[in-house]
Amino acid sequence: MLAKVSSCGLVGIDGFAVGVEIDISAGLPVFETVGLPDAAVKESRERVRSAIRNSSLEFPGQRITVNLAPADMKKMGSLYDLPIALGILEATGQVPAGCMEGMAMVGELSLDGQVRAVQGVLPMTIQAKQDGAETMLVPRDNAAEAASVTGIRVLPVESLLQAARMLRGEETIEPAPALDWESYAKTAVHEQDFKFIRGQYTAKRALEIAAAGGHNVLMVGPPGSGKTMLARAFPSILPDMTLQEAMEVTKLHSIVGLTTGKGLVTQRPFRSPHHSASMASITGGGSQVHPGEISLAHHGVLFLDELP
């Protein structure tokens, strides 16, 4: 019994296609995952086993082999729980064979079968569309973010049982509404607005020139003179983001989990790292490469308080 399910992974800030292959054969009950999985992927066997059983579905007592292709690329995170679980259900005949053709999916499973949000859904949805997928199954908290990609149907899933019932034709899941950027962009609200700052005429004039020309600014003054207040209000006088800029910013923020439940980023980011922040947190990097504060401030403002 063999089943193949399409999923995605992340390398840097881009997605790549991952084929989840599940083989169930006679033998001792063993659950083996291959294809360069990290610890979080290996632990999925326990989440998948409990989620299937607690969803009133049958978990096979046979040898289960899961292969994540391509086998030469590192697979990280808990996002393969949902495709592995649904692949097992297809291989055991609990959902119709071939019902996931043209469909890609990501999602973490809780022990009771609920589908939890994952990071990096936007770049993975973009990749799934480029690979020809017509439908993307994502956790409900990631649906607004994934729906910003045009040309692919996004189905928000709350539980493994709901996904199985949908694949069996017993339940219908309404697709997430497509993004209307003109209306969506108007929802941006600034926490601090330039227009409410009284006085500080020289500093405000300097910041207005910087906003118009894209210049850097060095503010020097005693504590309490308003430097931080002016900096936090600075994004409110920058031009509104275009859809292309919003997609770029959201991709970066999605990878570090800053967009869960929020959808597309509509206002320019403001990043203010602590003066004791490490080089890796500022520039990015690490064993699992993540964007740093410089990248997270893309198309926005990087405020280096206490710079000296």
Side-chain angles (χ1 to χ4, degrees), residues 2-5 85-100:
L2 178 67
K4 296 182 179 181
V5 182
L86 291 177
I88 291 174
L89 296 183
E90 181 180 345
T92 54
Q94 298 181 70
V95 298
C99 63
M100 289 176 277

Side-chain angles (χ1 to χ4, degrees), residues 14-69:
D14 296 315
F16 68 96
V18 174
V20 181
E21 303 170 344
I22 295 94
D23 177 71
I24 300 180
S25 56
L28 293 174
V30 177
F31 195 133
E32 188 70 30
T33 304
V34 297
L36 282 185
D38 72 348
V41 179
K42 290 181 180 179
E43 290 174 353
S44 67
R45 61 179 178 267
E46 304 302 333
R47 294 190 296 271
V48 168
R49 180 185 289 111
S50 297
I52 290 177
R53 288 175 173 169
N54 291 326
S55 298
S56 302
L57 299 165
E58 183 180 347
F59 187 83
Q62 298 168 283
R63 181 180 181 85
I64 302 173
T65 304
V66 177
N67 178 44
L68 304 175

Side-chain angles (χ1 to χ4, degrees), residues 275-295:
H275 63 80
S276 63
S278 66
M279 180 66 74
S281 68
I282 296 291
T283 62
S287 57
Q288 298 180 7
V289 181
H290 281 287
E293 293 293 337
I294 295 174
S295 298

Side-chain angles (χ1 to χ4, degrees), residues 7 19 25 35 59 101 115 128-129 153 160 169 174 181 199 207 227 242 258 277 307:
S7 186
S25 56
F59 187 83
E101 192 72 29
V115 181
K129 178 193 171 185
R153 187 174 63 140
L160 176 62
E174 288 297 323
W181 174 248
L207 291 176
K227 301 185 299 297
T242 64
L258 297 177
L307 175 64

